[in-house]
Amino acid sequence: MAGRVDALYFLLLGVSIFFALLIAGLIVYYAIKYRRRTADEIGARIHGGMALEVTWSVVPLLITMVFFVWGASVYFAMARPPEDTLNIYVVAKQWMWKFQHLDGQREINELHVPVGRNVKLIATSEDVIHDFFVPAFRTKVDVIPGRYVSAWFHATKPGRYQIFCAEYCGTRHSGMTGQVVVMEPTEYQTWLSGGAPEGSLASAGEKLFQDLACITCHRGDAQGRGPVLQGLFGKIVELQGGGTVFADEAYIRESILMPGAKITAGFQPIMPAFQGLISEEQLLQLIEYVKSLQAQPQNTNK
Ligand code: CUA
């Protein structure tokens, strides 16, 4: 994305420099050309000129519309991750970046990714607003407590790239840095297999699902007191009292933390709220577990 962002940036810079020089130059030129030559000289009065008015309205309009359309297309490309992404969770806290790979690897202030893949970050914060910024990728996104934001990048060269926090977040904000380590795919595979003692996120989520006794109500056989979760992710859910919601990460997050916010049609608001009882990491595990229930009709040991 860097090339596209830079092209727009240099266009804006170029147009700004052009008009700054043009205006400053004309001020100096006319100040000299129309200077008072005799003590009793009086300037000629100028009345409106329609052609001039239209010109200096339409020309800037056309130029700004180019910025708008160009900027919007770059914005949409950056804001909409492609379909085939490698998903990585990011949890920011004062003052570190925690990365959680779906296979179970966890990292702090270092993010290993393969070169040439679309990488999608799903990020949240445990405390205050932070901002995930990798200048080399032109990737920058505010990381906000209580919700998920996403960003994506496609690294084209192996190497190490600096991560900054770009939102003032407390005394050690300036030290909240890290590195993205972009590796050749084979190296990345080696790194991945290097250690995932805790198993995948989804399997950790499955264990938590049992430990927290979610399983007693959310049964796979539709006999439970809570909605069946198999195949839920990515579907439209009918709500009590009308309306629908798209079952994405944010909806599942909300339903775990504040179950009363959106009640599935046909169910009672009996689920306890888990707000403050589970960590952001545990939430991610549960969400990945619910997502893993996608393909299987029944709960299997994935
Ligand atoms: Cu986190 Cu600044």
Side-chain angles (χ1 to χ4, degrees), residues 151-289:
W152 74 280
F153 63 81
H154 180 111
T156 52
K157 277 186 214 151
R160 291 179 156 267
Y161 303 93
Q162 191 70 39
I163 300 167
F164 291 104
C165 178
E167 182 66 53
Y168 182 66
C169 57
T171 49
R172 288 179 52 212
H173 154 72
S174 62
M176 190 168 163
T177 59
Q179 288 192 317
V180 180
V181 183
V182 179
M183 311 170 92
E184 294 291 351
T186 50
E187 271 180 78
Y188 177 70
Q189 281 311 321
T190 313
W191 178 85
L192 262 191
S193 53
E198 295 163 69
S200 73
L201 265 189
S203 66
E206 179 172 18
K207 183 170 178 308
L208 198 55
F209 196 75
Q210 283 155 5
D211 293 350
L212 295 171
C214 313
I215 187 109
T216 54
C217 292
H218 292 286
R219 289 165 48 175
D221 58 7
Q223 302 299 309
R225 288 181 294 168
V228 174
L229 302 181
Q230 276 75 4
L232 167 71
F233 191 82
K235 296 275 160 31
I236 303 288
V237 178
E238 305 268 341
L239 297 177
Q240 197 80 287
T244 57
V245 63
F246 180 68
D248 58 4
E249 286 95 350
Y251 166 68
I252 294 171
R253 175 196 179 89
E254 180 186 70
S255 297
I256 295 169
L257 297 179
M258 294 170 285
K262 295 188 179 72
I263 303 294
T264 306
F267 290 88
Q268 296 300 311
I270 52 171
M271 178 170 156
F274 284 85
Q275 181 91 58
L277 298 180
I278 58 174
S279 68
E280 289 292 344
E281 274 95 346
Q282 289 176 316
L283 252 181
L284 296 179
Q285 292 167 355
L286 287 173
I287 289 170
E288 274 309 306
Y289 174 60

Side-chain angles (χ1 to χ4, degrees), residues 18-294:
F18 173 77
F19 279 104
L21 291 180
L22 180 71
I23 291 167
L26 287 178
I27 287 172
V28 172
Y29 173 75
Y30 286 124
I32 294 167
K33 184 174 181 197
Y34 295 111
R35 69 189 183 279
R36 180 181 273 190
R37 286 155 211 265
T38 57
D40 58 348
E41 204 173 17
I42 293 172
R45 183 142 189 180
I46 297 172
H47 296 277
M50 185 53 94
L52 212 51
E53 295 280 353
V54 170
T55 306
W56 70 44
S57 300
V58 170
V59 171
L61 175 72
L62 293 178
I63 293 173
T64 48
M65 287 313 285
V66 169
F67 295 157
F68 171 71
V69 172
W70 191 334
S73 86
V74 174
Y75 173 79
F76 285 130
M78 292 184 89
R80 293 181 183 148
E83 289 295 317
D84 57 329
T85 51
L86 175 67
N87 292 356
I88 293 170
Y89 286 105
V90 182
V91 178
K93 65 174 280 193
Q94 289 168 322
W95 286 274
M96 64 179 77
W97 297 104
K98 297 189 280 188
F99 301 101
Q100 178 80 67
H101 297 254
L102 296 192
D103 291 332
Q105 287 83 355
R106 301 148 70 91
E107 307 185 72
I108 288 179
N109 294 345
E110 255 196 1
L111 170 60
H112 289 76
V113 294
V115 72
R117 277 286 301 272
N118 295 322
V119 176
K120 178 177 163 187
L121 305 170
I122 302 169
T124 189
S125 166
E126 279 183 13
D127 36 47
V128 300
I129 301 176
H130 302 273
D131 189 295
F132 184 88
F133 184 29
V134 184
F137 302 163
R138 313 296 189 272
T139 299
K140 186 170 177 296
V141 64
D142 272 356
V143 179
I144 299 164
R147 68 161 79 170
Y148 292 123
V149 297
S150 67
W152 74 280
F153 63 81
H154 180 111
T156 52
K157 277 186 214 151
R160 291 179 156 267
Y161 303 93
Q162 191 70 39
I163 300 167
F164 291 104
C165 178
E167 182 66 53
Y168 182 66
C169 57
T171 49
R172 288 179 52 212
H173 154 72
S174 62
M176 190 168 163
T177 59
Q179 288 192 317
V180 180
V181 183
V182 179
M183 311 170 92
E184 294 291 351
T186 50
E187 271 180 78
Y188 177 70
Q189 281 311 321
T190 313
W191 178 85
L192 262 191
S193 53
E198 295 163 69
S200 73
L201 265 189
S203 66
E206 179 172 18
K207 183 170 178 308
L208 198 55
F209 196 75
Q210 283 155 5
D211 293 350
L212 295 171
C214 313
I215 187 109
T216 54
C217 292
H218 292 286
R219 289 165 48 175
D221 58 7
Q223 302 299 309
R225 288 181 294 168
V228 174
L229 302 181
Q230 276 75 4
L232 167 71
F233 191 82
K235 296 275 160 31
I236 303 288
V237 178
E238 305 268 341
L239 297 177
Q240 197 80 287
T244 57
V245 63
F246 180 68
D248 58 4
E249 286 95 350
Y251 166 68
I252 294 171
R253 175 196 179 89
E254 180 186 70
S255 297
I256 295 169
L257 297 179
M258 294 170 285
K262 295 188 179 72
I263 303 294
T264 306
F267 290 88
Q268 296 300 311
I270 52 171
M271 178 170 156
F274 284 85
Q275 181 91 58
L277 298 180
I278 58 174
S279 68
E280 289 292 344
E281 274 95 346
Q282 289 176 316
L283 252 181
L284 296 179
Q285 292 167 355
L286 287 173
I287 289 170
E288 274 309 306
Y289 174 60
V290 172
K291 285 168 85 169
S292 77
L293 298 171
Q294 184 81 317

